[in-house]
Amino acid sequence: MDILSNLALGFSIALSPWTLMLAVIGCFLGTIIGALPGLGPSNGVAILIPLTFSLGLDATSALVLLTSVYYGAMYGGRISSILLNIPGDEPALMTTLDGYPMAKAGRAGDALVISGVASFVGAFLATIGLMLLAPLLSRVAYQFGPAEYFALYMLAFCTLGGLASQNQAKAAFAAALGLAIATIGLDNQTGMPRFTFGNLHLMDGVDFLVPLVGLFAVSEVLIYIENQGKSSSLGVKLEKVTIPFRDIGASFGTMIRASFTGFVAGVLPGAGASLGSFLAYMTEKSFAGKNGGFGTGVPRGIAAPEAGNNAAAGGALVPMLTLGVPGSGTTAVLLALLMTLNITPGPTLFTDRPEVVWGLIAALLIANVVLLIMNVPMVKLFVHILSVPPGLLLPGVMMVSFVGIFSLTGSYFDLLLMTGFGVMGYLFRKIGVPTVPIILGILLGGHMEDALRRAMILSDGDVTYLWSSPIAIGLWAAAIIGFIAPMFLRPILKRPDRVID
Amino acid sequence: MLRTDRIFGVVVILAALAYIASAFQIRTSFLSDPMGSKSFPILLGVIAILCGAIMVLKPDDEVEWPSAGAFLKIAFATVTMIGYAYSLKPLGFLLPTAVAAGILSYLIAGRALFAVLAGLGLSAGLFLVFKYALGLGLVAFPKGLF
């Protein structure tokens, strides 16, 4: 049993007191980040990367800390969905549909416990799925040449643009913009400067952490300033928390099915956790039929999206670790983390750095148990955190962003650039241009251009080489379908409306 | 009909043209591959022009822009951040952070006393966390003041 011996290696790394402590801290921070409206997994992890880097943690420790934050944020998102009817992050949107009605019916505690257990089941099964699927996929990925990698990057951009946005042209523009930002700096192949306009600060290119924090965190604060006055207050009271064994038992089948759906959605590049929770909720809803009572506050309606969302979060790690192609905004942020730590995700990661991969997987399993413990008996503590006023929280987020970037480079230029990206992110969000493809473009731009140019060297300039192998043709076909199909599916896949008081 | 998307589409096209024009200015080296360093940027520029054209021809519904007052606030927040970026190094951490956090807090919550307290509290609290718990090398005050 390869997996068991690998897992033993992973636990031997992850079970040290130091890593355990990091996992607990990460889970705690992550749950808070997920619970606070306005701070989600992607911007939460984004503002923490520069700080982790400045702390000088080694690769495994930094990974354990930030993936615990990632998983924790997935758990935390449900708290404000249920109590405030405001999703703490985008994937938690579906949890409001049944979570808030149940909380209003005086069963807030039950809703939190059911969703906590569902999160655990989803995340646990997805981690098992990751263990089984990732090594297989990394073996396939060994066959990838530059042409296949180029097609794979196209697939990521196409599915992300197709599924995660409302307008293909805007998503494609966002991807092109991100890739264009990545071309700033010295050319990898010739060593000549490109688009630097004689500015020395731009010679090294744009550090991807700067647009990352700008687009995700700074723009969020600007959105908040615009919505000033519409502050949130606790809508429902949380009484004593007990464990509703009967409801958990009754919705167990739902959790398992939703985990499976969510995991598959998460593995697809570009789909991510939002699609996972959406699909899980919708399949369970049609499975239950009209008499299922979905939308009125039934346990299964809470279990399905939470299990789906957490399973998708685990599933999204599969393409990120094995192929270096993230499946969602947050995994794009985790990819940024790996690149900051000088780890190149891809098939070789599993053979060259087994301690990183298996340490990470073991850490995920540990984090999951820690999160279950934190989120069921200690859920009241996190509920108090929701009452932090935005007037204190968001300036804090801003200052942490600035100090994080400042501590990386110590240059005012990067801070100005970050502010610029923040304003740009705000305008883009108003216009409806998705920001995740920009980040993905900046992260993958260098690799994508290298793959294309290497393919052209191999084929001596023959473009048809890009789709000359069966794998490449399959990827191109999937990319085209992924980009075009949502145009027709959009009316069918319409999201249910939010519950309105 | 003039919509945000149409204006944005035109801006995208113009920016993409400028990008392509400067791509032609890239100096090539004698060590070059079949594609060279210009083709990829030019390709991106062409894609962006196509996207811009689609936005001009098929705009989405009009964006809900904030009121002039909210816009002014956002502009003010941006100026604050730019000022903060320039002052963080010469003036040390505590003073600019207190001012910037206070202004942002006021813009978000609209309560003056709360904003002053939030600014002071965040400045002192974050300094302690960054300097002593996380060990970042921050300077508290401008050099030569004490």
Side-chain angles (χ1 to χ4, degrees):
Chain A
M1 286 302 279
D2 243 9
I3 290 175
L4 287 184
S5 65
N6 282 328
L7 203 57
L9 167 75
F11 273 108
S12 71
I13 294 156
L15 271 180
S16 77
W18 168 242
T19 9
L20 269 181
M21 189 190 79
L22 288 174
V24 172
I25 295 174
C27 292
F28 187 75
L29 279 177
T31 312
I32 295 174
I33 286 170
L36 290 167
L39 257 184
S42 26
N43 44 23
V45 177
I47 61 170
L48 289 177
I49 292 178
L51 285 179
T52 326
F53 191 66
S54 319
L55 278 177
L57 290 178
D58 63 277
T60 319
S61 312
L63 258 185
V64 168
L65 179 68
L66 289 179
T67 44
S68 308
V69 173
Y70 173 51
Y71 262 37
M74 287 293 165
Y75 270 78
R78 77 194 208 285
I79 298 178
S80 56
S81 296
I82 290 172
L83 295 180
L84 306 179
N85 196 23
I86 299 170
D89 48 55
E90 204 208 333
L93 178 67
M94 306 305 290
T95 313
T96 59
L97 298 177
D98 273 277
Y100 186 64
M102 191 166 181
K104 273 213 308 194
R107 297 181 64 202
D110 288 359
L112 285 171
V113 175
I114 294 167
S115 57
V117 174
S119 297
F120 174 78
V121 172
F124 182 75
L125 290 179
T127 313
I128 306 278
L130 170 68
M131 273 170 10
L132 299 173
L133 189 62
L136 287 181
L137 199 61
S138 75
R139 237 167 276 156
V140 177
Y142 265 119
Q143 319 229 339
F144 279 33
E148 284 80 7
Y149 266 108
F150 184 74
L152 181 69
Y153 294 138
M154 283 304 288
L155 172 66
F157 284 114
C158 286
T159 47
L160 192 68
L163 291 168
S165 85
Q166 297 301 314
N167 183 323
Q168 259 75 355
K170 288 176 180 173
F173 161 70
L177 176 67
L179 292 169
I181 293 169
T183 59
I184 297 172
L186 297 182
D187 183 344
N188 273 344
Q189 311 249 341
T190 62
M192 286 305 203
R194 294 195 289 180
F195 307 109
T196 57
F197 309 106
N199 187 333
L200 277 181
H201 291 294
L202 289 174
M203 271 312 200
D204 292 338
V206 177
D207 189 328
F208 49 75
L209 292 175
V210 174
L212 188 71
V213 177
L215 288 174
F216 284 172
V218 177
S219 72
E220 188 72 47
V221 177
L222 293 179
I223 292 268
Y224 242 89
I225 292 175
E226 182 195 323
N227 297 337
Q228 180 235 26
K230 296 172 202 162
S231 69
S232 57
S233 57
L234 278 187
V236 284
K237 279 262 177 297
L238 180 61
E239 302 295 331
K240 204 168 158 350
V241 179
T242 52
I243 300 177
F245 287 104
R246 187 200 290 256
D247 287 337
I248 292 173
S251 50
F252 201 69
T254 298
M255 290 179 197
I256 306 276
R257 280 193 300 274
S259 304
F260 188 76
T261 320
F263 183 73
V264 173
V267 171
L268 293 175
S274 306
L275 187 78
S277 65
F278 173 73
L279 283 181
Y281 185 85
M282 293 316 266
T283 43
E284 279 308 311
K285 190 178 175 180
S286 51
F287 207 77
K290 280 224 162 65
N291 299 328
F294 272 58
T296 58
V298 287
R300 288 166 68 187
I302 297 168
E306 271 308 307
N309 146 10
N310 284 272
L317 291 173
V318 175
M320 201 273 278
L321 287 174
T322 54
L323 302 167
V325 174
S328 64
T330 323
T331 35
V333 177
L334 288 176
L335 177 68
L337 166 71
L338 288 173
M339 288 161 78
T340 324
L341 296 168
N342 236 340
I343 299 169
T344 316
T348 47
L349 185 61
F350 282 75
T351 41
D352 296 352
R353 309 281 301 265
E355 81 284 359
V356 172
V357 181
W358 292 98
L360 172 69
I361 290 174
L364 288 177
L365 289 170
I366 294 168
N368 209 9
V369 175
V370 173
L371 280 165
L372 183 69
I373 297 170
M374 269 188 194
N375 273 278
V376 175
M378 285 166 64
V379 74
K380 282 202 126 163
L381 181 72
F382 292 108
V383 172
H384 287 300
I385 288 162
L386 285 180
S387 45
V388 174
L392 183 65
L393 171 71
L394 288 154
V397 167
M398 193 74 107
M399 298 301 122
V400 173
S401 310
F402 270 89
V403 171
I405 296 294
F406 186 71
S407 67
L408 271 186
T409 56
S411 111
Y412 74 93
F413 182 78
D414 283 335
L415 296 180
L416 288 180
L417 210 56
M418 183 182 87
T419 310
F421 274 110
V423 175
M424 189 177 93
Y426 167 76
L427 291 174
F428 278 12
R429 281 163 77 163
K430 294 300 286 183
I431 300 175
V433 176
T435 49
V436 175
I438 305 178
I439 293 295
L440 207 60
I442 298 171
L443 284 174
L444 298 180
H447 295 288
M448 191 166 173
E449 189 182 358
D450 276 351
L452 181 61
R453 287 166 80 167
R454 236 177 273 146
M456 288 300 106
I457 293 171
L458 287 176
S459 68
D460 212 13
D462 180 9
V463 183
T464 54
Y465 177 73
L466 289 176
W467 43 85
S468 56
S469 78
I471 297 180
I473 292 172
L475 290 169
W476 277 100
I480 293 166
I481 294 169
F483 192 65
I484 293 175
M487 290 187 202
F488 303 102
L489 291 175
R490 218 161 262 149
I492 306 169
L493 283 176
K494 208 177 165 323
R495 279 157 201 271
D497 292 328
R498 288 259 298 274
V499 187
I500 300 160
D501 285 296
Chain B
M1 201 167 56
L2 200 61
R3 287 198 193 148
T4 309
D5 272 21
R6 293 225 159 101
I7 302 170
F8 184 64
V10 172
V11 172
V12 166
I13 292 172
L14 292 177
L17 285 174
Y19 179 75
I20 292 175
S22 60
F24 277 109
Q25 304 292 314
I26 297 169
R27 275 180 298 158
T28 39
S29 137
F30 61 94
L31 271 172
S32 202
D33 46 310
M35 243 185 87
S37 40
K38 293 175 183 176
S39 319
F40 190 67
I42 292 170
L43 189 72
L44 293 175
V46 172
I47 293 172
I49 288 175
L50 282 176
C51 295
I54 294 173
M55 285 181 233
V56 172
L57 297 174
K58 265 191 70 185
D60 285 341
D61 296 336
E62 184 52 42
V63 180
E64 257 184 63
W65 287 107
S67 63
F71 228 75
L72 211 64
K73 273 189 198 150
I74 288 166
F76 198 66
T78 311
V79 173
T80 308
M81 287 189 285
I82 294 173
Y84 185 58
Y86 275 109
S87 57
L88 196 52
K89 200 159 198 175
L91 295 181
F93 180 81
L94 287 177
L95 190 66
T97 306
V99 174
I103 292 174
L104 289 176
S105 174
Y106 184 71
L107 290 173
I108 291 167
R111 284 178 290 162
L113 181 66
F114 179 80
V116 172
L117 292 176
L120 292 175
L122 278 172
S123 168
L126 289 177
F127 183 76
L128 291 177
V129 171
F130 288 140
K131 180 99 186 174
Y132 298 105
L134 299 180
L136 300 183
L138 288 176
V139 182
F141 293 104
K143 285 199 180 93
L145 189 67
F146 292 103

